[in-house]
Amino acid sequence: MDALEILSDLENVFPYFQPIFNADEQRVIAYEVLGRYLSKGKAISLGPFFHDDQIPDEYKFEVDLLIVKKALEKIMDLDEDILIFLNRNAELLMYGHGEPFLQELLEFEKKGLNLKRIILEISDRNYQGDLDQFDHLLQYYRTYGIKIAMSSIGDESQYFERIGQLEPDILKINLQPLKSTAIGINFNDVLFSLSLLARKIGAALLFENIEMSLQLQFAWKNGGHYYQGFYLHPPADEFINRDLLKSRLKEKFHDFIAYEKRKLEAVYNSAGQFHTMVQEIVNKNKKAGYDALFQALTKEMNDIAFRMYVCDEDGFQKTVNIFKEESGWTVQTAYLNKNWSWRPYFLENIIKLRHEQKGRLSDLYRDIETGETIRTFSFPMNENEYLFIDIAYRYLFEHDELL
């Protein structure tokens, strides 16, 4: 992209707006501002211009500020609760120590724009400058009511640390990894951790690049408050009716809810079936000891489970592991007396088992030892002993309503 051509033809630089929809009202709640250049009658993205390291920052800033001005002039006519997302990498935001950009926003504030509507979508992954100064600038912007969004899931080890440092108002998650139907386990694991962190710091989740129904369902299921992507609406030079997709999204959410209810019912019913089966076996072997109990359990659950053991209420393992290998069931003595109270939700699960006196089926998770996606069935044997049975992935796959 020829930078000089663009700089000498700024009349043909203009903003596009991509709508962002919210989950609770199923309507447009925000627009992301994107740069476009009219070349030979065709609007082309200015993304390559802003990502070109060979183009000086002052050129990028001039073009970007023009886009922001044109965008805010049009946005002034929108409903006052509609938010405005402005993309800023660290270099661009730090240009002139951040003052020129802020002064432009303050000029629009004088015209009636509430700066609480501004969301700065920032990226600092390749920033070579002083991060402390950058963070101070963001905090300074926040004193004016401006909010911060961090974009995309990064592979860098510092990504979660940066979230903790900045405590952004919105975490923007790119759903490109879900473009195929093969959803990577690692992506799910990172997203789960990210959603927990977002909840801790009070950040909302925005899922972008939604290009198919599967991705929208994934975003809805994983706590997405905001949705954006071509599947919903592409960027355009004009705004759309806020309720354009309201009926469509309601219908989609109804389908998602019905599907999720069926899965939850299946988990609940399976837990009930396991409870009945295990309770009968436990009652028959109350006086016979652990060996007889495990022998009966492995016989009855040979095609269901792959590991079982007993813990006390404090998480200390009272038995060995009974583990299923390709050759059959085997004993793992090394696990005797190990403590599992440090595991997430372990003690919470014990308290629920004690009070409900009913077997429980866990959420899906990845087993540390086997690396497979599994569920664990927990059963209260008495006041102080709790049986844990790990359900094999093969069984879950054959009963896909449990996946």
Side-chain angles (χ1 to χ4, degrees):
M1 183 171 285
D2 191 334
L4 293 179
E5 177 187 348
I6 294 172
L7 289 165
S8 61
D9 189 23
L10 292 177
E11 290 184 0
N12 283 313
V13 170
F14 55 95
Y16 257 35
F17 306 91
Q18 186 167 31
I20 296 170
F21 299 81
N22 63 357
D24 43 357
E25 297 179 299
Q26 307 92 49
R27 67 197 311 237
V28 175
I29 191 61
Y31 283 95
E32 179 177 356
V33 176
L34 304 167
R36 294 292 186 266
Y37 174 64
L38 190 62
S39 177
K40 299 177 182 178
K42 182 180 180 181
I44 60 175
S45 172
L46 282 171
F49 173 84
F50 289 113
H51 290 101
D52 190 341
D53 293 335
Q54 302 303 314
I55 298 176
D57 286 344
E58 56 265 30
Y59 292 173
K60 294 179 182 178
F61 183 82
E62 181 180 356
V63 173
D64 179 81
L65 196 60
L66 178 61
I67 293 169
V68 170
K69 284 182 181 179
K70 290 183 176 181
L72 294 182
E73 285 169 0
K74 297 188 71 171
I75 282 170
M76 293 291 291
D77 296 328
L78 288 175
D79 294 345
E80 293 185 358
D81 64 327
I82 291 184
L83 306 173
I84 307 110
F85 281 72
L86 302 174
N87 290 294
R88 317 295 292 179
N89 63 34
E91 288 82 1
L92 205 57
L93 196 63
M94 289 295 290
Y95 182 81
H97 303 290
E99 282 297 329
F101 176 64
L102 178 60
Q103 290 306 314
E104 193 60 45
L105 295 183
L106 292 175
E107 287 299 315
F108 276 93
E109 185 182 42
K110 293 176 184 177
K111 299 176 185 178
L113 177 68
N114 188 341
L115 295 190
K116 291 182 179 179
R117 297 171 62 189
I118 301 294
I119 313 289
L120 290 185
E121 184 180 330
I122 58 98
S123 174
D124 60 16
R125 289 201 183 96
N126 299 315
Y127 184 51
Q128 301 298 317
D130 190 326
L131 274 179
D132 286 338
Q133 289 186 12
F134 178 67
D135 292 354
H136 285 313
L137 178 62
L138 292 180
Q139 296 305 325
Y140 177 54
Y141 276 27
R142 277 177 153 165
T143 63
Y144 290 91
I146 297 170
K147 297 180 177 64
I148 304 299
M150 284 185 66
S151 60
S152 303
I153 290 181
D155 295 327
E156 299 89 338
S157 59
Q158 295 180 348
Y159 181 65
F160 281 85
E161 182 182 347
R162 289 296 290 150
I163 293 175
Q165 290 169 347
L166 293 179
E167 295 189 352
D169 303 280
I170 295 172
L171 291 177
K172 198 169 186 183
I173 300 169
N174 185 353
L175 285 185
Q176 279 295 114
L178 299 187
K179 199 166 185 178
S180 70
T181 55
I183 300 174
I185 291 177
N186 288 337
F187 183 82
N188 278 295
D189 290 345
V190 172
L191 180 56
F192 179 71
S193 300
L194 195 58
S195 64
L196 290 178
L197 180 56
R199 184 180 178 187
K200 290 290 186 183
I201 65 175
L205 295 180
L206 189 162
F207 288 84
E208 65 174 337
N209 286 323
I210 295 175
E211 299 179 7
M212 60 182 72
S213 180
L214 173 69
Q215 292 171 316
L216 179 61
Q217 183 176 8
F218 184 87
W220 171 84
K221 183 178 179 180
N222 286 278
H225 189 189
Y226 304 118
Y227 312 117
Q228 177 185 15
F230 276 74
Y231 178 75
L232 302 171
H233 204 281
D237 58 349
E238 296 295 337
F239 305 117
I240 64 173
N241 184 324
R242 295 188 69 176
D243 294 321
L244 179 67
L245 298 184
K246 195 174 187 71
S247 59
R248 176 183 161 197
L249 286 175
K250 273 189 174 181
E251 185 178 342
K252 281 289 182 183
F253 288 175
H254 178 76
D255 292 342
F256 299 160
I257 291 167
Y259 176 77
E260 202 61 30
K261 280 182 175 179
R262 287 195 299 271
K263 291 195 69 172
L264 291 172
E265 285 287 348
V267 172
Y268 181 83
N269 291 334
S270 293
Q273 292 168 8
F274 289 151
H275 176 86
T276 301
M277 179 194 307
V278 172
Q279 186 176 47
E280 184 178 345
I281 296 172
V282 169
N283 288 340
K284 285 181 178 178
N285 294 274
K286 270 186 177 180
K287 298 179 180 179
Y290 293 132
D291 290 342
L293 171 64
F294 287 138
Q295 186 175 359
L297 285 170
T298 55
K299 181 179 179 181
E300 191 70 28
M301 305 186 75
N302 186 61
D303 296 327
I304 300 174
F306 74 95
R307 183 195 291 125
M308 52 189 69
Y309 53 95
V310 174
C311 286
D312 66 17
E313 64 177 7
D314 293 330
F316 287 96
Q317 191 159 328
K318 307 300 289 184
T319 70
V320 297
N321 269 6
I322 307 300
F323 187 83
K324 187 178 182 181
E325 298 179 333
E326 290 186 8
S327 58
W329 291 93
T330 185
V331 172
Q332 296 176 323
T333 57
Y335 291 88
L336 184 62
N337 295 321
K338 286 198 173 184
N339 184 266
W340 307 113
S341 61
W342 53 270
R343 283 180 170 172
Y345 311 117
F346 183 90
L347 293 178
E348 180 182 348
N349 187 43
I350 291 291
I351 297 300
K352 287 180 178 178
L353 289 170
R354 181 199 294 170
H355 284 276
E356 296 171 4
Q357 285 300 303
K358 186 189 300 182
R360 306 182 76 247
L361 201 55
S362 75
D363 293 336
L364 289 170
Y365 68 97
R366 190 166 61 173
D367 183 62
I368 295 175
E369 187 172 327
T370 65
E372 291 189 338
T373 299
I374 68 168
R375 290 182 186 268
T376 296
F377 178 71
S378 312
F379 181 84
M381 295 176 58
N382 52 51
E383 293 181 356
N384 191 47
E385 291 181 316
Y386 298 86
L387 173 65
F388 295 89
I389 300 173
D390 291 335
I391 310 301
Y393 176 77
R394 180 184 297 177
Y395 179 86
L396 299 178
F397 183 78
E398 292 171 352
H399 300 76
D400 59 353
E401 69 275 10
L402 296 178
L403 283 177

